[in-house]
Amino acid sequence: MKISPKIVLFILLCFVSSISLAQDDEFIHPELQWYTIETKHFLIHFHDGAERTAKVVAKIAEEIYEPITSIYGHKIDQKVSIIIKDYDDYSNGVTYFYDNRIEIWASALDFELRGVHNWLRDVVTHEFTHNVQMQVAMKFGRRVPAVYFQWLGYEKESRPDVLYGFPNVIVSYPFAGVNVPAWFAEGVAQFNHPDLNYDYWDTHRDMILRMQVIDNKVLSWEELTAFGKTSLGNESVYNSGFSLVEFIAKNYGVGKLEEISKSLRSPFYLTIDQAIKKSLGIDGKELYNLWRAYLSEKYEKQIKAIGEKVEGNLIARDGFGNFYPKFSPDGEKVAYISNKESDYFAPSAIYLYDLKNGKENKLVSGVTSSIAWSPDGKKIFYSKKTRKNKNWRSLYDVFVYDLESRKEKRLTYGLRANNPAVSSDGKLLAFVTYKDGTSNIGIIKLNDVLNSNEISVKMITNFNNGEQIYGLCFSPDGRKILFDYSLKNNRDIGIIDIETLEFKPVLATASDERNPTFSKDGRKIYFSSDRSGIFNIYELDTLTGEISQLTNVYGGAFMPDVIDDKMVYSTYTSDGFKIAYMEQVKRFKQPEAVDLLAYENNFMPNFHLARSNDYDDSNLPEFEVKEYKNVYTSLSFYPVFRFDNYNKHDRGIDLIKFGFYTYSTDVVGKYSLFAGALMNKKFERDLFLIFEFNDRFPLLYQIGLKPRFTVEAYNVTRVVKYPITLGLNLIPVDVVYHLTEVDLSFKWKIFLPSLDLKTGFTFSRYSAEVKKFHHS
């Protein structure tokens, strides 16, 4: 009788996939040279081109180590590895708290649902707080992430050449070693520490929560526990969690965050309700109801203070991500970005709306950047991420869509060029470009790129300390560029002469001023500001300095474009961002100051924005930079208890297998090891090992090939009673079946980012043996 190798491998791989930790994306980058900065408590690993970011992170990490560890009374048992990545135009931070490993992408977060905070200060503090607080809440310690309970059942199989049937019952239940709901985990990471203030309750967060309260759409207590929602829903978990954690800190004390976290360490506390009850004396639902009542009272007062609403009519209602509306040069159409019916922002596309008949059509997919019209109204410029470049990196480049031919053309290659703007004479194309966590403005001659000539990029800014630039707008005479930027927190508005490179701030206050655009004559600048505590659209007269308010909304108003006193803008509602249209702009003076500032509701009663700006990350200590030597995470073990019912003759404990899975990886992703071993009373075993190599493979790398090399090894034994004929008797004996298989494979990208080539070698050996028996 034979064991089907496919059945055995299928069973093993089901469990392998169920517990394997998050991996890098499918694109590997062995061309990168890695380096390390070692400090007292951290190892900062970075690749060539990201040294400035790494040094800033090293400085920040040591500054926050003591405050964060002290608030939870927990010291890390080894140096934490922080990996800096800047090979993709992507912004995020991820904490592997069982591994003491944090990954940070250098590009600053520019997310429509978040305010502006210094990216590195914010993300390092946020992720390190995750690392500390989650370790405090671990039930089995750092080396045991989970315990698995599994059950396998099989189809009945009567064929003599098959040992057992195909699995028809596969259950794998992990008893997690940490049980912290999403709202609490993200809430404490955003709160981090009352003295740091690198993240704080800002006007964007206030906007989102305010509109949910007004329209009775606040997430329920149950919905707060996990993600898996739309982009807007997931962000609401962050916002609500932050607000709820601050509510706990204000009303019960900061120390309660540590108490709740330590209570979650108990294996008998399976919900946060139990931990809250022990610490606060009320259960989670009671806490939630108190918080909801506080929010209702708070926002009811704010709404009364806003006064009469001044807003446009919605012309784009579908989807929760409608951004960057721009009038066509003749003012008859509006182009904008929208995710329409998608659950996430990323699948956005450009849509064209006709103001005369209300009809719209989709132009091009995969666009999330701001857009710009050509002066003749025949083309629309935008940026898209693409991997069609050297080393398959995900980078922004500028594209153009021709409205007459309905064709798209790529204009730049590997420039990391985003948010394009076109001069009024159609001769120049400007864009924002990124490097080592800093953004700058580049300009190229539009005629060169349209005619596929050699491109010469002129850099008109020279920032190198993490400064961020957002949207661009040429002055009507084409001599200057207006843009919003940030140095630390919030955005300001500035202008730069493209010939003299002279820079001047236009609006630089404690408020957030963003999305600037010129009037046709260049005398007025339209922008969005949260100066009242709610983002609205304003008009600045550049000659008199007079500022007029154009909207007065409950949610927020952003990204204005004005032509002939008609205005379009993106407005925030409880259902997300929509496009609004005003046929006639109405100017009025900003109402007297009202108590709408989100900062007034911050945890620290005497908080002032300057407290978040009292650092200088341009002056860095002298760090020693060394060539990276492999650093591996500690082996993680997952105990496994499996009920494996493949042998119909087995009973009781013979059906139970005990064992473990184990995992470790090189912290920058060059190597990883995943293995497992299970055995039962009869010494039947299930063994596997998977090793991945993502570095420079000898000889192949030298000829330009960069494959992912994988070794997979499996060894399975099964013992069955089998009758053999001995004389006139049938003697039941134990027969042991062995299956050993080793797979070697190379997988790499060829020709296109989506096209894989995989080749390999498989060794498979099957055997059977009769165990010793005695016959008398």
Side-chain angles (χ1 to χ4, degrees):
M1 291 185 286
K2 293 184 179 180
I3 306 173
S4 169
K6 291 184 177 179
I7 292 178
V8 176
L9 296 182
F10 172 80
I11 296 169
L12 289 173
L13 288 175
C14 280
F15 296 121
V16 171
S17 62
S18 70
I19 73 167
S20 59
L21 301 180
Q23 303 291 311
D24 267 342
D25 61 25
E26 57 183 314
F27 296 88
I28 65 173
H29 298 283
E31 75 279 357
L32 298 174
Q33 186 68 44
W34 287 87
Y35 303 91
T36 299
I37 295 172
E38 185 171 3
T39 67
K40 182 178 180 180
H41 300 103
F42 297 89
L43 296 171
I44 314 298
H45 310 292
F46 65 97
H47 58 79
D48 42 313
E51 184 170 338
R52 185 208 68 86
T53 300
K55 289 181 176 179
V56 175
V57 168
K59 176 177 181 285
I60 295 169
E62 284 299 335
E63 290 176 4
I64 68 170
Y65 181 86
E66 190 59 35
I68 298 299
T69 55
S70 63
I71 198 174
Y72 291 98
H74 176 75
K75 301 295 183 183
I76 308 298
D77 62 353
Q78 63 179 191
K79 291 189 176 182
V80 178
S81 285
I82 302 181
I83 299 91
I84 308 301
K85 298 181 176 181
D86 194 32
Y87 48 77
D88 287 339
D89 284 334
Y90 178 67
S91 181
N92 205 350
V94 178
T95 303
Y96 301 88
F97 38 86
Y98 280 104
D99 296 338
N100 281 325
R101 176 166 58 110
I102 296 171
E103 293 184 2
I104 294 173
W105 283 261
S107 297
L109 183 70
D110 179 18
F111 187 37
E112 292 82 358
L113 295 173
R114 298 275 182 96
V116 174
H117 306 268
N118 180 277
W119 170 239
L120 294 181
R121 289 266 161 187
D122 187 353
V123 71
V124 173
T125 310
H126 182 108
E127 300 303 334
F128 185 63
T129 303
H130 271 319
N131 200 82
V132 174
Q133 187 263 338
M134 296 297 273
Q135 288 188 5
V136 168
M138 289 177 180
K139 299 181 184 299
F140 313 126
R142 196 172 62 81
R143 304 291 290 275
V144 184
V147 178
Y148 273 81
F149 299 92
Q150 300 172 348
W151 177 26
L152 289 180
Y154 301 83
E155 294 176 345
K156 292 183 179 180
E157 181 58 65
S158 59
R159 287 171 48 190
D161 60 331
V162 176
L163 185 60
Y164 49 84
F166 202 77
N168 59 2
V169 177
I170 300 177
V171 177
S172 184
Y173 178 81
F175 186 83
V178 64
N179 185 29
V180 180
W183 72 264
F184 191 66
E186 297 304 339
V188 297
Q190 291 171 100
F191 178 82
N192 52 69
H193 192 285
D195 292 336
L196 295 179
N197 295 311
Y198 303 135
D199 197 356
Y200 51 83
W201 188 257
D202 57 36
T203 41
H204 271 77
R205 290 183 169 104
D206 210 51
M207 171 184 75
I208 295 171
L209 196 53
R210 178 174 60 251
M211 294 308 295
Q212 289 180 326
V213 171
I214 291 173
D215 291 343
N216 197 28
K217 293 183 179 179
V218 178
L219 295 180
S220 69
W221 177 242
E222 292 73 22
E223 289 172 328
L224 286 173
T225 59
F227 294 116
K229 305 172 179 63
T230 65
S231 293
L232 185 58
N234 289 338
E235 186 64 18
S236 296
V237 174
Y238 277 86
N239 285 329
S240 298
F242 193 1
S243 177
L244 189 46
V245 165
E246 284 205 333
F247 183 79
I248 294 172
K250 286 179 186 178
N251 292 279
Y252 301 94
V254 176
K256 295 299 182 181
L257 304 180
E258 178 190 3
E259 282 187 24
I260 293 171
S261 299
K262 287 186 174 179
S263 294
L264 288 168
R265 183 188 298 170
S266 169
F268 303 105
Y269 278 28
L270 303 182
T271 68
I272 196 169
D273 295 76
Q274 296 168 291
I276 290 174
K277 180 74 173 179
K278 180 181 179 182
S279 180
L280 306 185
I282 58 174
D283 64 24
K285 197 60 178 290
E286 290 176 286
L287 173 67
Y288 174 82
N289 290 335
L290 289 173
W291 171 68
R292 283 293 306 270
Y294 156 74
L295 293 179
S296 296
E297 181 182 0
K298 166 187 172 181
Y299 290 121
E300 184 179 347
K301 290 179 180 178
Q302 286 193 358
I303 292 303
K304 288 180 179 178
I306 290 174
E308 183 181 356
K309 293 173 70 175
V310 179
E311 57 187 356
N313 298 317
L314 298 186
I315 60 173
R317 298 173 178 268
D318 295 339
F320 54 78
N322 297 278
F323 305 112
Y324 306 114
K326 285 291 181 183
F327 283 111
S328 59
D330 60 12
E332 295 182 357
K333 297 181 176 64
V334 176
Y336 67 98
I337 303 294
S338 178
N339 70 334
K340 292 301 180 186
E341 301 304 321
S342 172
D343 288 340
Y344 302 98
F345 283 121
S348 294
I350 299 178
Y351 290 83
L352 189 62
Y353 180 88
D354 193 312
L355 291 169
K356 289 184 176 180
N357 55 31
K359 295 181 179 180
E360 69 176 13
N361 61 295
K362 180 178 177 180
L363 300 183
V364 60
S365 300
V367 182
T368 56
S369 76
S370 59
I371 57 181
W373 286 85
S374 62
D376 60 9
K378 296 180 180 181
K379 297 180 177 67
I380 297 177
F381 297 83
Y382 49 92
S383 292
K384 293 172 67 173
K385 284 185 184 179
T386 174
R387 290 192 181 273
K388 295 180 181 179
N389 52 60
K390 186 178 180 181
N391 298 316
W392 308 119
R393 299 183 181 184
S394 179
L395 304 176
Y396 278 111
D397 272 303
V398 179
F399 291 73
V400 62
Y401 182 82
D402 191 305
L403 292 166
E404 293 181 341
S405 66
R406 299 183 181 180
K407 291 183 179 180
E408 179 185 66
K409 181 178 181 180
R410 182 175 177 179
L411 301 182
T412 67
Y413 291 82
L415 286 186
R416 307 186 75 168
N418 196 15
N419 294 333
V422 178
S423 61
S424 56
D425 59 7
K427 293 182 178 180
L428 297 176
L429 175 71
F431 51 83
V432 180
T433 186
Y434 308 91
K435 183 180 180 181
D436 200 1
T438 301
S439 55
N440 280 286
I441 301 174
I443 290 181
I444 54 181
K445 293 181 179 179
L446 195 50
N447 188 59
D448 288 344
V449 294
L450 289 174
N451 294 300
S452 301
N453 297 329
E454 184 176 349
I455 298 175
S456 176
V457 179
K458 176 183 178 181
M459 301 304 299
I460 65 170
T461 59
N462 187 32
F463 296 128
N464 53 25
N465 288 311
E467 296 88 344
Q468 301 302 313
I469 297 174
Y470 303 94
L472 309 178
C473 177
F474 275 96
S475 60
D477 60 11
R479 296 178 180 178
K480 299 178 180 180
I481 292 180
L482 186 69
F483 60 97
D484 48 345
Y485 65 97
S486 65
L487 301 176
K488 292 186 176 180
N489 295 301
N490 292 328
R491 297 190 197 180
D492 295 316
I493 296 174
I495 193 167
I496 191 167
D497 189 297
I498 64 176
E499 292 298 330
T500 66
L501 306 187
E502 180 185 6
F503 167 78
K504 291 181 180 180
V506 176
L507 287 168
T509 71
S511 301
D512 187 314
E513 290 110 0
R514 56 176 60 200
N515 314 135
T517 184
F518 275 110
S519 60
K520 270 190 172 182
D521 60 9
R523 176 173 173 173
K524 296 176 181 178
I525 294 175
Y526 303 96
F527 64 97
S528 175
S529 173
D530 68 350
R531 56 188 55 206
S532 72
I534 293 179
F535 278 97
N536 274 293
I537 307 301
Y538 296 87
E539 176 188 82
L540 168 66
D541 190 310
T542 59
L543 296 182
T544 66
E546 183 179 8
I547 295 179
S548 301
Q549 189 169 340
L550 306 185
T551 65
N552 194 39
V553 299
Y554 287 176
F558 306 86
M559 307 170 190
D561 193 35
V562 180
I563 185 170
D564 300 329
D565 262 1
K566 297 184 296 184
M567 181 171 72
V568 287
Y569 63 95
S570 179
T571 187
Y572 188 81
T573 72
S574 60
D575 294 322
F577 291 91
K578 313 295 181 181
I579 302 299
Y581 170 63
M582 277 187 175
E583 193 167 1
Q584 179 66 47
V585 168
K586 298 177 181 179
R587 297 166 178 83
F588 55 95
K589 292 298 180 183
Q590 180 179 331
E592 293 185 8
V594 294
D595 185 17
L596 290 175
L597 288 176
Y599 315 119
E600 295 298 325
N601 298 289
N602 201 313
F603 171 73
M604 297 298 289
N606 298 319
F607 170 75
H608 189 272
L609 190 61
R611 292 193 58 196
S612 283
N613 294 330
D614 57 0
Y615 56 85
D616 181 7
D617 289 337
S618 63
N619 185 19
L620 298 173
E622 289 294 328
F623 292 109
E624 182 182 2
V625 176
K626 299 179 181 179
E627 187 175 338
Y628 173 76
K629 303 297 182 183
N630 296 98
V631 177
Y632 299 94
T633 61
S634 304
L635 279 172
S636 294
F637 291 91
Y638 303 76
V640 180
F641 300 88
R642 181 186 298 172
F643 179 85
D644 204 348
N645 188 26
Y646 52 75
N647 194 326
K648 61 184 179 180
H649 301 292
D650 286 343
R651 295 291 185 272
I653 197 171
D654 288 340
L655 297 170
I656 306 298
K657 286 184 178 176
F658 303 93
F660 64 89
Y661 300 133
T662 186
Y663 176 83
S664 180
T665 183
D666 169 79
V667 294
V668 302
K670 292 188 175 186
Y671 316 97
S672 67
L673 175 70
F674 185 53
L678 285 94
M679 188 173 293
N680 64 8
K681 180 183 175 184
K682 298 191 298 181
F683 298 104
E684 294 176 307
R685 62 181 181 265
D686 292 340
L687 308 177
F688 72 89
L689 181 148
I690 301 174
F691 173 75
E692 279 194 357
F693 179 88
N694 298 323
D695 204 1
R696 302 176 182 183
F697 199 90
L699 300 180
L700 293 180
Y701 183 78
Q702 280 70 23
I703 61 174
L705 298 178
K706 295 181 287 187
R708 182 191 301 270
F709 175 65
T710 304
V711 178
E712 299 182 18
Y714 304 90
N715 178 254
V716 178
T717 64
R718 296 290 184 264
V719 180
V720 297
K721 292 288 186 182
Y722 187 73
I724 64 173
T725 302
L726 193 62
L728 299 177
N729 299 319
L730 287 176
I731 309 299
V733 300
D734 286 337
V735 179
V736 183
Y737 296 93
H738 299 268
L739 173 65
T740 300
E741 181 163 318
V742 178
D743 298 325
L744 309 179
S745 66
F746 292 94
K747 179 181 176 181
W748 57 77
K749 301 287 181 183
I750 59 170
F751 306 129
L752 297 171
S754 57
L755 185 60
D756 293 325
L757 174 64
K758 185 175 182 179
T759 184
F761 170 79
T762 296
F763 168 81
S764 183
R765 184 177 184 272
Y766 164 78
S767 64
E769 63 173 309
V770 177
K771 299 188 73 173
K772 292 180 181 180
F773 68 94
H774 176 74
H775 174 64
S776 58

